[in-house]
Amino acid sequence: MRRWPLLLLLALSAGVSAEEWVPVCHGYGCVAQDEVVFSSLRLRLLAGRLAQARDAAGEREILAAVVGDLYRWAGEQSEIRNDRGGNFADGSMPGRMDCLDHSTTTTRFLQLLMRRGALRYHRVLPPVSRAWLGLVENHWAAQIEVLAAVGGEERYVVDSWFVDNGEPAVILPLEEWKKGAGPDV
């Protein structure tokens, strides 16, 4: 009977190390989705990089590159490899993504990392939008929040829409982003 706790622990750890399937949106407005798979080895590598963070700011810095890696790996398996920053640089290429596609997919990537215990200083929140001239919601991004247990509840956007597929995501304080901060694309 003493083997049950050990077997349970092994079973639970096997679940964490398994490969993960994630749907990625593209086609503007998430009209198309492709299932991509991330190997347990690749996910452990990302978790190892995130584990090097010593505080929330360090985790955000590493997280930007990790999100870029997830997009690059997803691009190896889907047409999102053609996506370029903004909405115009990729023309009519298959796999192009608008901010709705990015905010949804990036949120899924962040939830995957959180579910696997790779985020120690942040939690994932639903995507957030900002309005143009305070009237029309015109841009969406994934959102994270610093855990209260590690010093605050500051919110940040993780915005992969600004960059070409596979490049590090842009992470900005929510309030700055809401005022229009971010690269000009």
Side-chain angles (χ1 to χ4, degrees):
M1 286 294 180
R2 291 181 139 315
R3 292 184 191 179
W4 282 108
L6 179 59
L7 291 175
L8 179 61
L9 181 61
L10 289 173
L12 290 174
S13 67
V16 171
S17 66
E19 63 187 19
E20 297 268 0
W21 293 83
V22 179
V24 296
C25 292
H26 57 92
Y28 285 35
C30 209
V31 298
Q33 293 190 61
D34 292 329
E35 290 274 326
V36 299
V37 63
F38 298 118
S39 71
S40 58
L41 174 61
R42 282 183 160 178
L43 293 171
R44 284 193 310 268
L45 288 171
L46 297 182
R49 285 173 47 203
L50 286 162
Q52 295 174 13
R54 298 292 171 236
D55 56 24
E59 186 169 81
R60 287 190 302 277
E61 184 177 328
I62 296 167
L63 186 60
V66 164
V67 169
D69 287 343
L70 289 166
Y71 270 99
R72 185 170 37 82
W73 295 339
E76 292 170 358
Q77 305 169 56
S78 71
E79 293 178 332
I80 70 164
R81 69 182 151 275
N82 297 321
D83 185 55
R84 299 295 173 257
N87 281 348
F88 303 110
D90 45 15
S92 62
M93 293 291 294
R96 65 190 179 141
M97 301 173 75
D98 67 2
C99 63
L100 292 172
D101 297 321
H102 277 282
S103 63
T104 302
T105 300
T106 301
T107 298
R108 290 173 179 167
F109 289 166
L110 294 169
Q111 288 169 336
L112 164 68
L113 295 169
M114 189 172 70
R115 187 172 60 249
R116 294 178 68 91
L119 298 180
R120 296 180 298 143
Y121 299 100
H122 296 87
R123 69 183 184 111
V124 181
L125 299 175
V128 64
S129 67
R130 66 182 181 193
W132 180 67
L133 298 177
L135 302 173
V136 179
E137 292 176 345
N138 73 331
H139 189 64
W140 289 83
Q143 182 180 195
I144 57 175
E145 180 177 56
V146 177
L147 295 172
V150 294
E153 297 176 356
E154 303 102 22
R155 292 184 178 187
Y156 294 84
V157 296
V158 181
D159 200 337
S160 55
W161 175 81
F162 288 119
V163 298
D164 291 350
N165 180 273
E167 292 182 6
V170 174
I171 300 181
L172 295 167
L174 175 63
E175 291 309 313
E176 287 180 28
W177 179 85
K178 283 228 176 216
K179 294 175 185 173
D184 187 18
V185 291

